[in-house]
Amino acid sequence: MSRHTTFRYCLDPTVEQQVVLARHAGAARFAFNTCLDIVKTALTQRKFDPDHSVPWTGFSLINAFNGWKKSEAAGRVIAVDAAGVAEVEVTGLVWRTQVSQQVFEEAAVDCGRGLAAYSDSRTGKHKGTRVGFPRFKKKHVTTSSFRLRNKLSKTGRAGIRLGDDIPRSVTLPGIGMMRVREDTRRLRRLLAKGRAKILYTTVTYRAGRWQISITTEAADLHPARHYQPRTADDDGGWVGLDRGLSAFVVAATADGAEVARIDDPPKPLTTGLHKQRRLAKSLSRKRKGSRNRKDATARLARHHHRIANIRRHFLHQVTNTLVKTHDRLVVEDLHVAGMLRNRHLARAISDAGWTDFARLLRYKQSWRSGTVVTTDRWFASSKRCSKCETVTTELTLSDRVFTCGCGFRADRDHNAAINLAVWAATHQDQSRSPDPQAGGRVTNAR
């Protein structure tokens, strides 16, 4: 069994290498916009000719772009000989050899994915927010990035390599070797032992720095780090996780024992709000198009990037601790998008990162053969008494202590965590994931 994981590092390119990286990012943006323009032109022609084909998938867009970049529409030169006769010489895209060919192909694949998401959203295959038709990428609005695959050469050498001559370095096809700020020892050891294989890499320019994300297909964790499978009749060991704002997470078992409580989350957005307002005001005072405004934008972007890194680091720490100590976890199905409509709590909810916490918890627990169960969205975990199961409808957000008519009194978050653990124990059959071959639960079936 294998797993897909990503290693992200900060690059330290030279001035010449920064120009090459910016050229590749611009080529990716140009290829995406060209493919989208080809699709729109084909859709317009299809109105007059129903038999006209429209490239819609990534493979068809790659073929369409390869044919376009060598055509007269991509570039031509008018040559005049000594006799004064002018001839049109088709050159195509003259700078296409200055960047890696994979940049154009991956950009076409991205355009195909956007078109597929748009089609699935219109037909009902895509669940969630409605996806619109892809838009053109603007240079100073979208994030500059490009993707490269790890292809083998004719001699069998990989195109993406780490630590060729310098330990903290990465070699990319068409770009060469670049230094890396962080230590790459962990990934180099996995590659040397044959426990990982590089699939592709994504280079992104964010907050004034070039970053690289290396996606690998790594071997499964050591068997000693996996949880032993439980029997079908074993309904114990569940730990409920109640997420909140005063206490980030409270973990408790079905018998009422509290096993974890995180009361001091970093709250990076709230802590850095004063600096963010100062940087935003400084940006608003700068004239549009000036160099000072560009520098102010970079300072504000670095501040937002630092806030996101602090939050992500904290979430990784908490989820690592939980998955290493418990094999059965229960989380709530929170409608975070709906909660953000409350203007009094939207900032605090966004700063907590509840959705990202659940995402990290699920894939990390699956690496260790554990189980993460999501309760029913309408299960009243906070308003239900964990002793007599009576639902108290008068409970408000300001009530931090749960009090029941039966005499039970406990912390609000602790009581909710107990109810989550009890729910998983009593709904063990319903909490199992559906058969992946069946594609989920079937509704309205004859």
Side-chain angles (χ1 to χ4, degrees):
M1 183 179 178
S2 61
R3 57 193 175 96
H4 289 80
T5 181
T6 303
F7 296 82
R8 184 166 57 182
Y9 306 104
C10 183
L11 296 175
D12 189 14
T14 61
V15 177
E16 294 78 7
Q17 290 174 343
Q18 291 181 12
V19 175
V20 176
L21 293 176
R23 184 184 300 127
H24 279 70
R29 182 178 60 252
F30 174 81
F32 182 91
N33 293 338
T34 303
C35 292
L36 187 57
D37 183 67
I38 293 174
V39 173
K40 287 190 172 184
T41 303
L43 290 175
T44 303
Q45 295 178 358
R46 194 174 185 179
K47 294 181 180 179
F48 305 97
D49 184 11
D51 297 333
H52 187 77
S53 61
V54 179
W56 200 261
T57 62
F59 184 76
S60 60
L61 287 172
I62 290 176
N63 295 333
F65 182 83
N66 289 338
W68 175 87
K69 69 181 181 181
K70 300 177 182 179
S71 63
E72 184 179 354
R76 62 178 182 176
V77 175
I78 300 177
V80 181
D81 55 9
V85 180
E87 293 183 357
V88 178
E89 181 182 353
V90 178
T91 60
L93 205 60
V94 293
W95 52 268
R96 63 179 183 270
T97 57
Q98 300 179 8
V99 296
S100 177
Q101 176 66 22
Q102 299 181 23
V103 174
F104 299 133
E105 297 176 357
E106 295 300 319
V109 171
D110 291 340
C111 184
R113 290 176 179 175
L115 295 171
Y118 169 72
S119 301
D120 294 343
S121 179
R122 288 178 62 93
T123 57
K125 296 181 181 179
H126 177 82
K127 297 182 180 180
T129 309
R130 187 179 180 89
V131 179
F133 194 82
R135 299 179 181 180
F136 293 106
K137 292 185 177 182
K138 297 182 179 180
K139 181 177 181 180
H140 299 290
V141 177
T142 58
T143 303
S144 300
S145 64
F146 62 93
R147 187 168 62 251
L148 297 172
R149 298 189 308 274
N150 188 22
K151 298 177 63 176
L152 299 178
S153 62
K154 296 181 180 179
T155 59
R157 194 179 189 185
I160 303 174
R161 302 181 301 274
L162 269 77
D164 276 352
D165 300 327
I166 304 175
R168 295 190 178 186
S169 66
V170 59
T171 303
L172 300 178
I175 299 177
M177 187 187 67
M178 288 183 297
R179 290 183 177 270
V180 180
R181 292 178 179 268
E182 291 87 3
D183 189 9
T184 61
R185 184 182 305 173
R186 183 181 178 186
L187 179 55
R188 284 188 285 111
R189 286 178 177 177
L190 291 175
L191 295 174
K193 295 179 181 180
R195 293 180 53 84
K197 180 180 65 174
I198 298 178
L199 300 179
Y200 57 88
T201 179
T202 304
V203 181
T204 309
Y205 184 75
R206 184 180 288 110
R209 291 182 178 180
W210 287 98
Q211 298 177 353
I212 182 171
S213 300
I214 303 176
T215 303
T216 63
E217 184 180 1
D220 202 2
L221 294 178
H222 193 274
R225 298 186 179 183
H226 283 253
Y227 291 110
Q228 297 298 327
R230 293 176 178 264
T231 59
D233 56 348
D234 186 4
D235 57 352
W238 293 99
V239 176
L241 303 179
D242 180 72
R243 291 166 285 180
L245 297 178
S246 58
F248 178 75
V249 63
V250 176
T253 59
D255 55 1
E258 183 176 305
V259 296
R261 176 183 284 268
I262 307 297
D263 286 329
D264 52 348
K267 297 182 180 180
L269 180 59
T270 304
T271 305
L273 189 60
H274 177 72
K275 183 177 181 180
Q276 177 179 332
R277 288 174 175 172
R278 178 173 57 84
L279 294 175
K281 288 182 180 180
S282 176
L283 174 62
S284 65
R285 296 189 183 102
K286 303 298 185 295
R287 185 178 62 184
K288 292 184 178 180
S290 63
R291 182 56 184 266
N292 290 335
R293 185 178 180 88
K294 183 179 180 180
D295 295 340
T297 303
R299 286 192 295 267
L300 182 60
R302 286 195 295 268
H303 176 72
H304 282 293
H305 186 61
R306 182 175 181 273
I307 289 177
N309 288 339
I310 294 174
R311 183 186 299 114
R312 188 182 299 109
H313 179 69
F314 168 73
L315 294 178
H316 276 291
Q317 286 182 324
V318 175
T319 52
N320 285 337
T321 303
L322 291 174
V323 301
K324 289 180 181 179
T325 53
H326 307 288
D327 62 334
R328 286 184 168 184
L329 300 175
V330 190
V331 293
E332 302 172 276
D333 185 11
L334 299 179
H335 185 32
V336 180
M339 294 180 179
L340 292 178
R341 298 171 186 170
N342 187 345
R343 62 185 182 89
H344 300 286
L345 301 176
R347 182 186 298 163
I349 294 174
S350 301
D351 200 9
W354 288 342
T355 303
D356 207 18
F357 170 80
R359 182 185 63 85
L360 298 176
L361 198 69
R362 289 188 180 94
Y363 82 77
K364 290 183 179 182
Q365 190 71 297
S366 65
W367 285 356
R368 298 177 178 269
S369 302
T371 306
V372 176
V373 170
T374 304
T375 62
D376 182 23
R377 175 170 293 184
W378 308 111
F379 177 69
S381 59
S382 299
K383 299 182 180 181
R384 184 183 300 271
C385 177
S386 59
K387 186 176 182 180
C388 65
E389 299 184 357
T390 303
V391 178
T392 304
T393 57
E394 293 80 9
L395 190 68
T396 60
L397 291 175
S398 60
D399 298 332
R400 305 314 307 168
V401 178
F402 179 84
T403 305
C404 183
C406 65
F408 178 77
R409 181 182 177 88
D411 179 72
R412 175 197 181 103
D413 300 331
H414 179 67
N415 176 70
I418 298 174
N419 288 326
L420 293 175
V422 173
W423 185 92
T426 56
H427 298 74
Q428 185 177 5
D429 295 336
Q430 292 88 334
S431 61
R432 293 176 181 173
S433 59
D435 183 9
Q437 299 293 337
R441 186 179 61 182
V442 178
T443 58
N444 299 331
R446 295 184 180 179

